[in-house]
Amino acid sequence: MTILVVDDSKADRILLTKILENGGFEVVTAVDGKNALEMIRSDAPDMIITDIMMPVIDGFQLCREVKQDPALMNIPLVFYTASYREEDDEALAMRIGAAAFFRKPEEPHKIINSVKKILEEYKSGKTEPQQPLISDEKEYLALYSSRLVKKLEDKFLELESANTKLEAAYDELKSIDRLKDNIISNVTHELRTPIMLAGGFLELALDETDPIKRNQHLTKSIDALKREDKIVIDLIETATAEKGLLKPFTDTIDLGKIITAAVENLKPKVTIYDINIDVSFDGDLIMLGDYYQLKHVMINLIDNAIKFNVKQGKVEINATEDNGQIQVCIKDTGIGIPGDKLVKIFDKLYQIESDTNRKYGGTGIGLTIAKHIIEGHGGSIWVKSEVGEGSTFCFNLPK
């Protein structure tokens, strides 16, 4: 029997896959609810085991979609979650049609026994397929929003605590590096702004009675928390790199697919900035490298090309292979970089705009991380730029 495991955490997907395979099941995986729905509609599994907190479409929404589709509604769906652990979370899960609700981590033998029991009972007809007890969309949205608000409040408190610790660590870092006062102010601002935005939108959501407007506030709060999460990850990776601990986990990868995934991640920003992106590949882009680190590099470089561009500007991404080397260039039609700034552009926490009234946000560590990652792969990175003409960032990597 085939089980679809849905989880945005690679480590959790691998662990649950191993547990189920040891129990004799065939396993396929998806990274979020959207990916899962596409797979289910293409080739329906015998069971779905899904996390709840995921991007694009979360576990609750995935369950709702499955149970409202006559062709899919009889597939048993089980929740396996670390974030949504409360009784009210489980109650909502069961009311929208879940067959079971497990909290991470669960003992492997208990998972196997429960999965086998559910499948046997469904197959024998002893248990009727779970059908949703909530048919009214407004009722579902109200319950779903209340659980999401509670989870965001918890996450907000966690991030606030982490932010306090991070600011303390940053204070130590700035004293060691003797950073300029204005750069310190800018980074602190970058750390605090998402927390303030998330808190404001949560307060609006708590006071909002219209489910649609409430969900809009919650979405904006999630976006702010994601921005905070990216800043935290960048700072942690910078500290890790400085200690020489940012090592690549090498595997056979397709750099072309990484570039495509990075562009896809930045589509909302492309739309907001009204930028035209042109991507071209030439040659074999298969190489040994770390998928997630190189995707991080591409996102940082493309994000800069968008952010420092002009309205209705253009970004050209070109990847070529020659004599065992892959070269990638990201060219923009933006504001460009003054010649005297180019030599410092990859320095840690360096920003061309160093005053507190700067137009462009950011911590100034994205290019530092990119340099560490590229050099960790045995490559090199450089930039060419003219003020008012745009910039071209290039790197090469051995295959």
Side-chain angles (χ1 to χ4, degrees):
M1 290 195 169
T2 302
I3 298 177
L4 172 62
V5 171
V6 190
D7 202 313
D8 62 325
S9 166
K10 182 180 179 181
D12 286 351
R13 287 198 310 274
I14 292 173
L15 180 59
L16 185 54
T17 295
K18 293 296 183 186
I19 291 171
L20 293 170
E21 286 178 342
N22 287 338
F25 296 103
E26 183 179 336
V27 180
V28 292
T29 63
V31 298
D32 56 47
K34 181 177 181 292
N35 180 208
L37 279 172
E38 292 170 353
M39 295 176 66
I40 295 165
R41 286 168 177 155
S42 174
D43 187 9
D46 297 293
M47 174 182 277
I48 303 163
I49 301 180
T50 181
D51 188 22
I52 295 178
M53 184 174 283
M54 299 181 293
V56 189
I57 295 178
D58 67 14
F60 284 139
Q61 293 168 299
L62 171 62
C63 183
R64 187 75 170 166
E65 291 279 349
V66 169
K67 293 302 174 180
Q68 288 184 331
D69 189 329
L72 308 175
M73 63 192 307
N74 291 334
I75 301 173
L77 185 146
V78 173
F79 285 110
Y80 187 43
T81 174
S83 300
Y84 288 80
R85 307 178 63 87
E86 299 178 13
E87 290 184 2
D88 287 344
D89 299 325
E90 182 174 0
L92 175 59
M94 303 311 289
R95 290 190 67 189
I96 61 176
F101 187 92
F102 301 143
R103 293 166 177 83
K104 297 178 184 177
E106 184 59 272
E107 292 291 333
H109 71 275
K110 290 183 179 179
I111 294 175
I112 296 297
N113 291 340
S114 297
V115 167
K116 286 182 176 178
K117 182 180 179 183
I118 292 169
L119 287 170
E120 287 170 2
E121 290 182 351
Y122 267 62
K123 187 176 181 180
S124 66
K126 185 177 179 181
T127 298
E128 290 292 325
Q130 293 294 116
Q131 302 303 329
L133 302 176
I134 304 174
S135 57
D136 183 71
E137 191 66 17
K138 286 186 178 179
E139 181 185 0
Y140 164 70
L141 286 173
L143 291 170
Y144 172 72
S145 296
S146 70
R147 301 317 306 150
L148 190 56
V149 168
K150 178 63 170 62
K151 197 51 54 187
L152 284 171
E153 288 174 339
D154 293 343
K155 192 69 175 176
F156 177 75
L157 292 174
E158 287 176 19
L159 282 171
E160 199 170 46
S161 175
N163 192 55
T164 301
K165 294 177 182 177
L166 190 63
E167 286 184 316
Y170 179 68
D171 285 340
E172 182 181 350
L173 181 65
K174 73 183 182 182
S175 65
I176 293 172
D177 293 318
R178 302 183 190 90
L179 298 173
K180 295 177 182 178
D181 289 342
N182 52 359
I183 291 181
I184 294 168
S185 174
N186 290 338
V187 174
T188 303
H189 172 76
E190 291 294 324
L191 284 168
R192 288 179 174 171
T193 299
I195 291 288
M196 293 170 61
L197 288 172
F201 284 122
L202 279 174
E203 289 180 8
L204 289 172
L206 289 171
D207 294 333
E208 184 57 65
T209 57
D210 185 333
I212 294 176
K213 289 183 179 179
R214 180 188 297 164
N215 283 345
Q216 289 173 345
H217 295 321
L218 294 176
T219 298
K220 290 178 180 178
S221 181
I222 290 173
D223 289 342
L225 293 176
K226 285 180 179 177
R227 175 182 166 189
E228 176 78 6
D229 189 51
K230 183 182 184 302
I231 295 170
V232 170
I233 289 172
D234 280 351
L235 287 170
I236 291 172
E237 286 201 353
T238 300
T240 304
E242 287 297 307
K243 294 177 181 178
L245 300 176
L246 190 63
K247 306 295 184 184
F249 179 78
T250 56
D251 198 0
T252 301
I253 58 173
D254 186 340
L255 194 58
K257 290 184 178 179
I258 291 176
I259 294 170
T260 301
V263 171
E264 186 69 24
N265 274 34
L266 292 166
K267 269 191 174 179
K269 197 164 189 175
V270 170
T271 302
I272 292 170
Y273 282 73
D274 195 14
I275 299 295
N276 178 44
I277 291 190
D278 181 54
V279 181
S280 63
F281 303 143
D282 183 18
D284 179 12
L285 301 183
I286 304 298
M287 60 169 288
L288 287 176
D290 188 311
Y291 178 94
Y292 294 98
Q293 285 190 10
L294 292 176
K295 183 179 177 183
H296 194 167
V297 170
M298 290 307 308
I299 287 176
N300 281 351
L301 294 178
I302 299 170
D303 183 75
N304 280 348
I306 296 168
K307 181 168 66 174
F308 294 104
N309 218 317
V310 296
K311 190 73 172 177
Q312 297 181 332
K314 188 175 183 179
V315 175
E316 296 178 3
I317 304 168
N318 178 250
T320 59
E321 184 271 337
D322 182 46
N323 198 26
Q325 292 279 324
I326 294 176
Q327 180 171 298
V328 178
C329 289
I330 299 95
K331 180 180 180 181
D332 65 62
T333 56
I335 60 175
I337 304 167
D340 62 327
K341 309 289 186 183
L342 286 175
V343 293
K344 299 180 180 179
I345 199 70
F346 294 103
D347 290 354
K348 181 174 57 180
L349 297 168
Y350 181 77
Q351 293 168 317
I352 295 172
E353 291 181 308
S354 59
D355 61 276
T356 55
N357 295 317
R358 61 206 178 114
K359 179 181 177 182
Y360 304 98
T363 56
I365 58 179
L367 291 176
T368 303
I369 293 171
K371 185 173 185 287
H372 276 294
I373 291 174
I374 294 301
E375 291 180 349
H377 281 74
S380 59
I381 184 168
W382 65 95
V383 58
K384 297 178 182 178
S385 187
E386 292 286 342
V387 174
E389 298 294 328
S391 303
T392 302
F393 282 84
C394 296
F395 63 84
N396 59 20
L397 294 167
K399 295 192 68 177

